[in-house]
Amino acid sequence: MSASTTPGPGPRPSDGLDLSRRTALVTGAAGGIGRACTLRLATAGARVRAVDLDAEGLTELVAAASNLPGPVEAHALDLTDLDAAERAAAGVDILVNNAGLQLVRPIEDFPPEVFSRVLTVMLEAPFRLVRGALPHMYTQGWGRIVNISSVHGLRASPYKSAYVAAKHGLEGLSKVAALEGAAHGVTSNCVNPGYVRTPLVERQIADQAEAHGISPERVVAEVMLADTAVKRLVEPEEVAEAVAYLCGPHTSFVTGASLSMDGGWTAH
C-alpha cells in the first residue's frame, strides 16, 4: 500500500457522552466500522447488541469490550433472514445500520444473485431493522437511527452497481424515517465516509486492480483517492465518533441529514 494510506492522528473520543440508559444495535459489528461503533457506544455506557454473521469475530469483540462501561452482547445473525433481523431490533434505542458487502464488476458481468444479496443486506434489512426498532422508540419518545452510508450514497463510481444502488436507496430510506419519526423524538441520519481502512476496502483494492488492469498501488492513488483532497483513508474510529455525535444530547435537531466524511470528494 502506498504512503498515502498512512493513518492520520487517532481521533479523540467526544467528552461527556452518557448512553448508560440506552440499548444500541450495530450490524456488521465484528469488524471495521461496525466494530469501532460498537466499542465507542459501549465506551459511552450503552448496552450494545453486536450483530454479525461472523460468530468468531463477535466472540473476539465481546472479549475486547469486556472492560468497557457498557456490556456488548453477541448476536450471530444472517441479515438475509429478514424476519429475524426485524425481531432483533425490538426494544433498541439506537440503531446503527452498518453491515455491507461489495463486488466490483461491470454491469454486464455482475452476477444477478449477488446484486440481489447486496440489496437485501444493505437496503431491505435496514428497512426491517428500522421497522422493528420504531415501536419502542415511538413509545418512549426518543430514538436514534444512524445509517452508515457512503460517498457512494451521494456519488456513483463505475463497476459498483449494486453497492451504489443500495447506498442511494439507504439515503432515501433514512430521510423517510426522519420525516416520519420527527414527531416522536426519533432522528434518522446517514454518515457518508469515503474509503475507510477496513477489510472490505482492502478486498476492493484487489478487485479494482483486476477491473482496471492496474497495480494495487495505482488503485489507491489513482482510483480510491483521486477525488479526495485529504490523501489518506478514513479510520474506522473517525466514523464511530460521527455516529456517537449523532446519538448525543445536542443533535436532536439534526435529522434527515447526510454527514459527509469524504476528504472533500463531494466538494467538487
Side-chain angles (χ1 to χ4, degrees), residues 130-151:
V130 170
R131 191 173 187 272
L134 283 180
H136 169 71
M137 293 180 178
Y138 282 3
T139 296
Q140 70 177 2
W142 192 95
R144 296 290 181 266
I145 299 167
V146 184
N147 299 298
I148 307 301
S149 181
S150 167
V151 66

Side-chain angles (χ1 to χ4, degrees), residues 4-18:
S4 61
T5 63
T6 301
R12 298 180 60 187
S14 302
D15 294 328
L17 179 61
D18 181 7

Side-chain angles (χ1 to χ4, degrees), residues 29-216:
I33 295 171
R35 186 181 193 276
C37 289
T38 297
L39 295 175
R40 180 66 185 94
L41 295 176
T43 297
R47 177 181 295 273
V48 185
R49 299 178 191 172
V51 172
D52 203 292
L53 188 60
D54 180 4
E56 183 177 345
L58 288 175
T59 298
E60 189 279 330
L61 173 61
V62 170
S66 60
N67 293 322
L68 296 180
V72 173
E73 305 165 350
H75 291 258
L77 177 64
D78 185 342
L79 290 177
T80 62
D81 185 344
L82 297 171
D83 291 338
E86 184 169 328
R87 290 193 298 269
V92 302
D93 309 301
I94 296 166
L95 172 62
V96 181
N97 283 313
N98 165 71
L101 58 152
Q102 176 67 282
L103 181 67
V104 181
R105 294 286 188 280
I107 290 174
E108 66 272 22
D109 297 328
F110 206 101
E113 67 276 10
V114 177
F115 190 96
S116 179
R117 179 175 175 81
V118 169
L119 264 68
T120 298
V121 171
M122 294 173 57
L123 182 55
E124 196 168 359
F127 161 71
R128 295 293 293 271
L129 286 153
V130 170
R131 191 173 187 272
L134 283 180
H136 169 71
M137 293 180 178
Y138 282 3
T139 296
Q140 70 177 2
W142 192 95
R144 296 290 181 266
I145 299 167
V146 184
N147 299 298
I148 307 301
S149 181
S150 167
V151 66
H152 284 113
L154 307 173
R155 298 288 188 272
S157 290
Y159 310 122
K160 298 183 178 182
S161 55
Y163 189 88
V164 170
K167 291 301 190 184
H168 273 67
L170 186 64
E171 293 282 328
L173 174 64
S174 183
K175 289 176 172 60
V176 172
L179 295 176
E180 294 185 8
H184 305 278
V186 175
T187 66
S188 176
N189 294 286
C190 288
V191 176
N192 301 71
Y195 287 101
V196 184
R197 188 185 305 279
T198 65
L200 183 69
V201 166
E202 297 290 347
R203 289 191 294 270
Q204 277 188 64
I205 293 173
D207 281 349
Q208 289 272 19
E210 181 180 353
H212 291 276
I214 59 177
S215 70

Side-chain angles (χ1 to χ4, degrees), residues 194 227-230 234 260-265:
D227 293 319
T228 66
V230 181
V234 186
S260 294
M261 300 181 65
D262 59 13
W265 186 335

